[in-house]
Amino acid sequence: MKKFSVIGNPINHSLSPRLQNTWLKENNIDAKYVKIKLEDYEIKNFIQDIRNQKITGCNVTVPFKKTVIPFLDQLSPEAEQTQSVNTITFENGELVGHNTDIAGFDNAIKKLNFSLKGKKVLILGAGGVVPSIIFALNNMYVKDITISNRTREKAENLRFLFNNLKTLEWGKLTEFDMIINATSLGLNNETINLDFSSLGRDKLFYDVIYNPHETHFLRMGKQLGHKTENGKTMFVYQALEAFKLWHKIEPKVNTETFKLLNND
Ligand code: ATR
């Protein structure tokens, strides 16, 4: 039986096994997918296990999306530009790092019917998933992308990857068409202490968090009359793209798929 896994720390919250194991079963693939909590110093040996094919492939989550890169042989162009790997495959004797978060976000936005062409986007946070979101937004021809992060230096550092970014001091808000919460605020029901009342009307509030399904950030957006969307669709489609890379099969996505992720 083949083995797949998701590595991260913490990892307990991950719903990837639920999704991937359902698709494995539906497609009669003799494999299992497990979550593994690792420490930094264990990454090298773990990746060696993929080279030895003790593990066929893996997903990578916070905080290892960049850490794994030096141990791989090749990166896809998307992983290279974002310096972020969330899926590892072993192909023709080579360990390859891919980034399927980009396709996940891209699919999520396409399904929303909210054209971002020529729009102004604000991203709150500068953590692991932000380069992927920027990459996807750049392909949607947005007008501009502004990053606001508590630690401003981390927002500034993203300019080394993407030279078209603007940055904004944490706590200062002006008018934007879409605001993305890519901070970890909300994962444990924390509030975001920002005043969104000056934003105008009919904007899109998007939260990368999908569990809980409605963060304080999304509740606030809703109360102010904006469109809201959580990170569930992005999560499902990043998983789908990883499944396609490993198994060369497109798994089914339907309402049952989304129900698998209802945890709250
Ligand atoms: P990492 O930074 O290790 O990649 P992450 O979960 O992807 O982890 O990112 C956490 C994000 O949430 C960061 O942008 C972090 O801001 P800092 O860079 O200043 O740490 C943001 N964040 C976490 N707690 C926050 C808080 N209390 N207020 C504002 N931003 C917060």
Side-chain angles (χ1 to χ4, degrees), residues 244-261:
K244 273 168 47 183
L245 284 168
W246 295 321
H247 309 293
K248 317 289 178 215
I249 294 172
E250 178 148 344
K252 267 203 290 250
V253 175
N254 50 33
T255 49
E256 293 305 310
T257 318
F258 286 93
K259 274 192 202 152
L260 287 172
L261 307 178

Side-chain angles (χ1 to χ4, degrees), residues 79-97:
E80 178 73 46
Q81 159 131 42
T82 53
Q83 286 295 293
S84 176
V85 166
N86 81 323
T87 305
I88 299 176
T89 58
F90 188 67
E91 301 159 45
N92 307 318
E94 305 240 292
L95 287 166
V96 186

Side-chain angles (χ1 to χ4, degrees), residues 4-17 33-43 46-47 50 55 57-68 85-88:
F4 294 84
S5 74
V6 54
I7 57 168
N9 192 346
I11 197 64
N12 223 3
H13 67 281
S14 174
L15 296 178
S16 291
Y33 183 108
V34 297
K35 50 190 167 195
I36 302 179
K37 182 179 166 191
L38 292 182
E39 301 299 330
D40 257 302
Y41 70 90
E42 295 172 303
I43 298 285
F46 175 85
I47 291 182
I50 306 180
I55 294 170
C58 82
N59 279 135
V60 182
T61 188
V62 178
F64 300 131
K65 289 184 180 188
K66 195 174 160 81
T67 322
V68 295
V85 166
N86 81 323
T87 305
I88 299 176

Side-chain angles (χ1 to χ4, degrees), residues 125-128 149-151 154 170 183-185:
N149 193 49
R150 178 180 59 176
T151 313
K154 276 209 231 160
W170 182 255
T183 72
S184 48
L185 291 171

Side-chain angles (χ1 to χ4, degrees), residues 37-175:
K37 182 179 166 191
L38 292 182
E39 301 299 330
D40 257 302
Y41 70 90
E42 295 172 303
I43 298 285
K44 189 177 176 184
N45 280 346
F46 175 85
I47 291 182
Q48 202 55 33
D49 283 348
I50 306 180
R51 198 182 288 285
N52 300 333
Q53 286 293 279
K54 277 193 215 158
I55 294 170
T56 307
C58 82
N59 279 135
V60 182
T61 188
V62 178
F64 300 131
K65 289 184 180 188
K66 195 174 160 81
T67 322
V68 295
I69 292 179
F71 307 111
L72 304 175
D73 303 315
Q74 251 190 66
L75 295 181
S76 72
E78 291 85 359
E80 178 73 46
Q81 159 131 42
T82 53
Q83 286 295 293
S84 176
V85 166
N86 81 323
T87 305
I88 299 176
T89 58
F90 188 67
E91 301 159 45
N92 307 318
E94 305 240 292
L95 287 166
V96 186
H98 305 262
N99 179 330
T100 71
D101 288 327
I102 297 169
F105 183 78
D106 189 55
N107 267 296
I109 298 303
K110 287 205 173 107
K111 291 188 191 311
L112 274 182
N113 247 341
F114 187 95
S115 170
L116 281 171
K117 195 172 170 190
K119 299 282 173 66
K120 287 166 69 91
V121 182
L122 173 66
I123 302 176
L124 302 172
V129 77
V130 171
S132 308
I133 292 177
I134 297 169
F135 187 103
L137 288 171
N138 277 337
N139 284 341
M140 293 173 201
Y141 304 105
V142 296
K143 181 165 179 231
D144 57 48
I145 303 170
T146 304
I147 312 284
S148 184
N149 193 49
R150 178 180 59 176
T151 313
R152 188 159 186 169
E153 191 190 353
K154 276 209 231 160
E156 300 289 345
N157 284 344
L158 283 167
R159 286 224 182 101
F160 292 116
L161 296 179
F162 303 96
N163 55 19
N164 61 338
L165 292 180
K166 297 180 174 181
T167 61
L168 184 66
E169 196 180 314
W170 182 255
K172 294 250 160 74
L173 285 177
T174 54
E175 181 137 7

